[in-house]
Amino acid sequence: MANWVGNDQRLPQGRLILVSYCIVLGVVLLLLGFWKLQIIQSGHFADLAERNRIRSIPIIAPRGKMLDRNGRVIVDNYPSFSILLLRDDPAQIKKDMPQITSGLNITAEDLKQQLDAARDEPKFQPIVVKPEASEADLAFVESHRVDLPELELMLVQRRKYPPNDFLAHVIGYVGEVSPEQLEESGDKYKPGDIVGKAGLEKQYNDTLTGTDGMRRVIVNSIGKPVRTLDDMEPIPGKPIRLTIDMDLQSVAEDELAGKVGSVIAMDPRNGEILAMASHPAYDPNDFSVRISGSEWKTLNADPNKPLLDRAIQAQLAPGSVFKILESVAMLESGMPPRDFHVFCPGYATFYGRVFHDWVWSTHHSGHGDVGLHTAIVQSCDVFFYNVGERLGVDRLAYYATSLGLGKKTGIDLPSEEAGLVPSSQWVENTYHHKWYPGSTISLAIGQGPIEVTPIQLVRTIGGIASGGVFYEPHLLKDFGPVKVVRFPISENTVEQVTDGMYGVVNEDGGTAHLLGYPILVQAKLQNVEFCGKTGTAQTISAQALERVSAGGRGAYGYNTWFVGFAPKRNPEIAIVVLVQDTHLEAGGIAAPLAARFIEAYYQEKLGQPIQELQAKQAAPQGPAHAQLVKTAPQTQ
């Protein structure tokens, strides 16, 4: 060594200095690197290490149950599993995507859409890539813990609705929060959250929704949880108790089976809805997981419109039911006087046009001499043509709107429609011409541009029979202050109108007291003072009908109505029945349906069970429930 240093092979002084500088520079760079890693980026790498070691798993709070007025469960929850995708490592997700989509039987396109939807959300928030996981899905996740650590299981409480579309439109359904709702909510919702989309689920979403919890667990090198660090337990949503009586609701559903229409029963003394059915309907259970695009398109394209809630959204001409409001207008205004009579030959001429009575088409005769009572009982069109002409369109509109038609009732359901009560001002504003006097004649029998909803009619009829006290209809038992509208109707008016409606059901010649025409049914009940009014409305004008079907009805049926209440004085129940697109008169289909419902109501009141409740609502065991027992401890 000494020889080597001392001989000519000694490193030149310049190179030695250069090497020294390189060594010093290398040491400095190394120190800088250590400083950057240990000081500048220490938090970042500590965070990454923590994420690799600690995993946060959301615990979804169950939604509150829905109970009927007697405390029976209508809407419940059941346990299920969802599969989460942890988004901490986008590169790993991209690499594993083919294996994930293949193993979970989902498309790459769907997965990409879900990732795009959550792009702006914090990376530590997982997304649900497959709700309602099957046993095969669970087995796939468990067997790929090592190579697919970004997949995780989450226990959820899925919504369980009654079978057979029971109370579907009232209950509504839940679904994933939409991009629009996300944007409107601020930080309230995150992608994948389940919210109420329709019906009471939407109306009382804030009450029914609980507060989600979170569980932090330590996972080992293959992603298996080995220890729970801490739990933030979820807070379940609050239950809500409805005014609905499940037994009466079952009667309404059964009576409407196979028909298009709705039935609503209400207590006119407080506005509580006892039953509300709309057919056809949909199965809310189809929405409780994640409805597919094709299923949604099928529902929307269905010509019977199962998504339409006919109880609060059907806006139709009321037909002869409108004569009750017209009778109140006549008696209260004195136009014409109370003792007004007409002779009905089966038709009458107004403004150069012949208007026929409904009996003309079958008997080619009329009702003869008719006063108000007979006109209501036999639903004489000619009488009410004359009354309507004397009242005029604006006086009719005043009484119709004052009694509750043409505006929302305020029922605690979303998407209620207002209907329409025409007036001369409305025509000028809408069509920019004067009201045609001849239109008043059609309006007098509930035809023409007038549109009402079933919920409006049941509130209006109940209010008239109660002496002009109209309660806000509602479905929540603990609704709070109920809005009450009072419209002064004299006792004499109430007595004359309700006596006429009693005659409709109980007197010979009454349109709901039919014997042998065309079906051997009637609405009269034993030991019950049941009152009502029928209405049969055209679904196509007479002129149009002649053009398209040569005078026959062909495929064009009627919309039939029946409104009623019981008992005659101080009623405790009011009902409306709508049956659409039928070839029967209202007295042959809507009236007997209402009578059977009222009979069931009194049967229940006397303590006689109407029928056994529909199939017991035992909470279903989701397809992943069996696997839950095996896997739940590993995720806790």
Side-chain angles (χ1 to χ4, degrees):
M1 175 66 80
N3 291 334
W4 181 82
V5 173
N7 62 23
D8 292 341
Q9 296 178 358
R10 178 182 299 174
L11 196 65
Q13 184 67 27
R15 292 187 179 182
L16 182 61
I17 293 173
L18 180 61
V19 170
S20 300
Y21 278 128
C22 288
I23 293 173
V24 171
L25 180 61
V27 171
V28 169
L29 290 176
L30 188 61
L31 290 174
L32 285 174
F34 279 130
W35 178 74
K36 183 180 179 182
L37 291 174
Q38 295 296 322
I39 306 298
I40 300 299
Q41 296 182 324
S42 61
H44 171 68
F45 287 107
D47 186 47
L48 287 179
E50 192 71 4
R51 289 187 195 179
N52 285 335
R53 188 168 60 87
I54 298 176
R55 181 168 292 174
S56 297
I57 302 172
I59 308 173
I60 306 301
R63 288 176 72 84
K65 298 179 181 179
M66 292 188 194
L67 314 174
D68 86 337
R69 64 186 299 115
N70 298 310
R72 293 174 291 190
V73 177
I74 300 176
V75 179
D76 205 340
N77 304 296
Y78 70 92
S80 177
F81 265 124
S82 290
I83 297 178
L84 300 179
L85 180 69
L86 308 175
R87 300 178 299 137
D88 306 77
D89 191 346
Q92 187 68 34
I93 293 175
K94 186 176 181 181
K95 175 186 172 187
D96 295 339
M97 187 173 287
Q99 191 177 3
I100 293 173
T101 54
S102 173
L104 298 180
N105 194 25
I106 56 179
T107 67
E109 184 180 356
D110 285 345
L111 183 54
K112 287 177 182 176
Q113 286 179 354
Q114 293 181 62
L115 288 169
D116 289 343
R119 181 178 297 164
D120 297 331
E121 299 301 316
K123 288 286 187 287
F124 62 82
Q125 288 184 358
I127 60 172
V128 176
V129 292
K130 190 160 191 181
E132 196 77 12
S134 65
E135 290 190 20
D137 296 328
L138 298 181
F140 174 78
V141 173
E142 287 297 328
S143 61
H144 291 79
R145 286 282 185 187
V146 177
D147 49 335
L148 297 176
E150 60 269 41
L151 294 182
E152 186 53 88
L153 301 176
M154 177 176 68
L155 177 64
V156 298
Q157 295 291 320
R158 198 73 64 191
R159 219 48 168 158
K160 175 185 176 292
Y161 297 105
N164 303 320
D165 310 342
F166 184 86
L167 201 61
H169 289 98
V170 171
I171 294 170
Y173 56 86
V174 295
E176 282 190 16
V177 63
S178 66
E180 294 76 17
Q181 290 173 307
L182 273 176
E183 187 174 347
E184 293 172 359
S185 72
D187 296 331
K188 185 177 179 181
Y189 300 131
K190 59 183 182 301
D193 277 354
I194 300 298
V195 298
K197 292 282 192 175
L200 293 172
E201 290 279 24
K202 182 178 181 180
Q203 184 76 19
Y204 294 111
N205 183 64
D206 289 346
T207 302
L208 294 166
T209 302
T211 303
D212 293 345
M214 184 70 74
R215 174 171 297 127
R216 292 199 312 149
V217 298
I218 297 177
V219 297
N220 60 18
S221 59
I222 62 171
K224 279 188 174 294
V226 294
R227 187 162 67 89
T228 298
L229 284 179
D230 51 53
D231 271 348
M232 186 175 75
E233 292 297 330
I235 302 173
K238 297 177 181 176
I240 58 174
R241 191 157 69 99
L242 310 184
T243 59
I244 293 291
D245 182 310
M246 284 186 73
D247 291 333
L248 292 178
Q249 182 69 29
S250 295
V251 175
E253 301 279 358
D254 290 345
E255 291 292 340
L256 266 185
K259 304 180 183 68
V260 176
S262 63
V263 174
I264 309 173
M266 188 184 86
D267 187 337
R269 299 168 298 183
N270 53 28
E272 291 184 356
I273 299 296
L274 303 174
M276 178 182 281
S278 174
H279 281 200
Y282 55 87
D283 188 351
N285 291 293
D286 292 342
F287 294 83
S288 64
V289 181
R290 182 182 287 171
I291 191 168
S292 68
S294 60
E295 290 174 313
W296 179 247
K297 285 181 181 178
T298 301
L299 277 173
N300 278 283
D302 191 326
N304 288 321
K305 302 183 186 309
L307 293 174
L308 177 70
D309 185 351
R310 288 175 164 78
I312 64 170
Q313 293 179 312
Q315 302 176 89
L316 303 166
S320 293
V321 168
F322 189 70
K323 294 170 182 172
I324 297 303
L325 288 88
E326 194 176 349
S327 300
V328 173
M330 167 188 162
L331 295 171
E332 289 296 297
S333 68
M335 185 69 70
R338 290 174 178 268
D339 58 355
F340 179 68
H341 275 241
V342 299
F343 181 80
C344 170
Y347 57 88
T349 303
F350 298 92
Y351 309 106
R353 177 185 161 193
V354 175
F355 290 79
H356 288 101
D357 195 286
W358 70 273
V359 297
W360 180 260
S361 61
T362 55
H363 296 81
H364 279 274
S365 62
H367 298 278
D369 183 63
V370 177
L372 178 62
H373 182 84
T374 302
I376 294 176
V377 171
Q378 301 184 10
S379 197
C380 178
D381 288 340
V382 170
F383 180 89
F384 285 103
Y385 291 150
N386 283 276
V387 173
E389 183 192 32
R390 286 160 175 75
L391 284 168
V393 61
D394 288 330
R395 192 176 281 114
L396 277 172
Y398 166 74
Y399 279 97
T401 54
S402 298
L403 296 172
L405 301 187
K407 53 190 175 185
K408 297 180 181 179
T409 65
I411 187 171
D412 48 343
L413 283 175
S415 307
E416 181 188 7
E417 296 291 349
L420 171 68
V421 172
S423 65
S424 57
Q425 189 63 54
W426 171 79
V427 165
E428 289 191 12
N429 293 341
T430 306
Y431 298 107
H432 310 295
H433 63 70
K434 298 289 185 183
W435 175 265
Y436 298 133
S439 299
T440 307
I441 309 305
S442 295
L443 180 63
I445 59 167
Q447 299 278 6
I450 186 171
E451 294 178 346
V452 303
T453 63
I455 189 65
Q456 289 173 4
L457 280 181
V458 73
R459 174 180 177 271
T460 293
I461 292 302
I464 291 173
S466 302
V469 183
F470 302 85
Y471 281 87
E472 185 178 17
H474 56 276
L475 288 152
L476 190 69
K477 189 67 177 172
D478 302 321
F479 186 68
V482 178
K483 188 184 297 182
V484 183
V485 175
R486 300 178 187 278
F487 184 80
I489 303 176
S490 70
E491 290 185 13
N492 186 275
T493 295
V494 174
E495 187 174 330
Q496 284 200 53
V497 171
T498 54
D499 283 352
M501 295 179 73
Y502 181 80
V504 169
V505 176
N506 297 278
E507 294 180 10
D508 290 343
T511 53
H513 186 84
L514 305 175
L515 293 173
Y517 169 78
I519 301 173
L520 293 173
V521 294
Q522 60 177 340
K524 182 177 180 179
L525 297 174
Q526 296 296 321
N527 304 318
V528 177
E529 290 184 320
F530 184 35
C531 310
K533 182 69 188 78
T534 57
T536 304
Q538 305 272 0
T539 56
I540 183 172
S541 70
Q543 294 83 358
L545 188 62
E546 289 179 5
R547 287 197 303 270
V548 300
S549 58
R553 294 213 64 80
Y556 299 95
Y558 301 103
N559 290 332
T560 61
W561 296 89
F562 182 85
V563 293
F565 56 86
K568 186 164 65 171
R569 300 288 178 256
N570 302 314
E572 59 189 61
I573 184 170
I575 186 171
V576 60
V577 174
L578 165 67
V579 180
Q580 290 184 252
D581 198 22
T582 174
H583 284 71
L584 293 174
E585 299 279 352
I589 186 167
L593 191 161
R596 290 191 289 273
F597 184 93
I598 296 297
E599 188 175 31
Y601 168 82
Y602 279 99
Q603 186 177 337
E604 183 186 56
K605 189 177 178 182
L606 293 173
Q608 302 170 3
I610 298 172
Q611 60 187 43
E612 290 295 327
L613 198 59
Q614 293 190 345
K616 290 186 177 179
Q617 311 298 312
Q621 303 300 299
H625 183 75
Q627 191 69 13
L628 165 67
V629 178
K630 305 174 186 175
T631 55
Q634 300 173 4
T635 60
Q636 294 175 357

